Amino acid sequence: MTSTDDESTFEDPGEALRLIEREQVNTLRHVTPDPRLMYWPWGLTWLISFGLSFLRFSPGGKTIVDMPDWLPLLALTGLLIAAGIFTGVVGARASRHISGPSSRQGAAYGISWSAGFTSLAIIFGRVGEHVPDEMLGLLWGGGMVALVGVLYMAGSAIWDVRDMFVLGAWISVVNVIGVLWGPGWHALVLAVAGGGGLLVAGFVGWMRRR
């Protein structure tokens, strides 16, 4: 490219604006985690753990697949912890080059997730022994999922991301419907609509990112 071409390029306001927009998009893509890595671990967690709960504690007190009573709850707890650690590492790696208010916002948001899950786990563990067995899964599942929905909507308010609010609202509505339907149905609704919604959100986010 000649010096004359360089001058004409920078003298064109439209081309300069398009260059700035491309660089902004590339920078945003570089510092934003892959949506699949952020949503799919949670989607698989819900699909597996709530699916197990439905198979063991089906509506009407029936059992579709015979398994230990503690297995669905153990799977839910273990997979939630694993998904939280995985997405936390992914988010930290993506934001390692970010400093200032955005970095502090991300750190505070991540700590909020950990604090919320830890607090609910301690509370539910303390009162769970006084709850009937058929309602125990509803307590843990409904409470944890309610927290997830609220945190997604809070994240939308922090970063002004509409998709996060839509996802959080969807999760909240699905959770309330499942709780109202009762044990068994709650697990099925969360496995299909909740876990499936997270998988779809990850895919849609990835397509938009491309």
Side-chain angles (χ1 to χ4, degrees), residues 103-113:
S103 178
R104 292 192 294 271
Q105 286 175 330
Y109 186 60
I111 294 173
S112 299
W113 279 76

Side-chain angles (χ1 to χ4, degrees), residues 15-176:
E15 180 62 26
L17 180 60
R18 287 190 290 272
L19 176 62
I20 293 173
E21 290 176 345
R22 286 196 298 269
E23 291 303 316
Q24 288 177 335
V25 170
N26 290 333
T27 300
L28 182 62
R29 183 182 296 113
H30 180 69
V31 301
T32 303
D34 188 330
R36 294 172 299 175
L37 300 180
M38 299 302 292
Y39 291 135
W40 284 4
W42 296 101
L44 292 174
T45 293
W46 290 20
L47 190 62
I48 295 171
S49 60
F50 289 118
L52 289 175
S53 181
F54 172 74
L55 294 175
R56 176 60 185 87
F57 303 103
S58 300
K62 299 179 181 179
T63 299
I64 298 177
V65 176
D66 189 19
M67 66 182 75
D69 295 351
W70 47 264
L71 182 58
L73 183 57
L74 179 63
L76 175 63
T77 304
L79 289 173
L80 283 175
I81 294 173
I85 294 175
F86 180 83
T87 53
V89 171
V90 171
R93 291 184 61 183
S95 62
R96 64 183 181 274
H97 299 300
I98 301 176
S99 59
S102 296
S103 178
R104 292 192 294 271
Q105 286 175 330
Y109 186 60
I111 294 173
S112 299
W113 279 76
S114 300
F117 279 117
T118 301
S119 299
L120 285 185
I122 293 174
I123 294 171
F124 293 163
R126 184 70 177 85
V127 304
E129 60 185 18
H130 305 292
V131 177
D133 292 341
E134 66 273 12
M135 300 296 293
L136 191 59
L138 194 64
L139 173 68
W140 278 82
M144 293 294 187
V145 172
L147 176 62
V148 171
V150 170
L151 286 174
Y152 273 132
M153 288 189 285
S156 170
I158 294 172
W159 288 291
D160 192 23
V161 180
R162 185 181 63 179
D163 291 350
M164 285 187 71
F165 185 86
V166 172
L167 179 60
W170 169 258
I171 290 173
S172 299
V173 170
V174 166
N175 185 47
V176 170

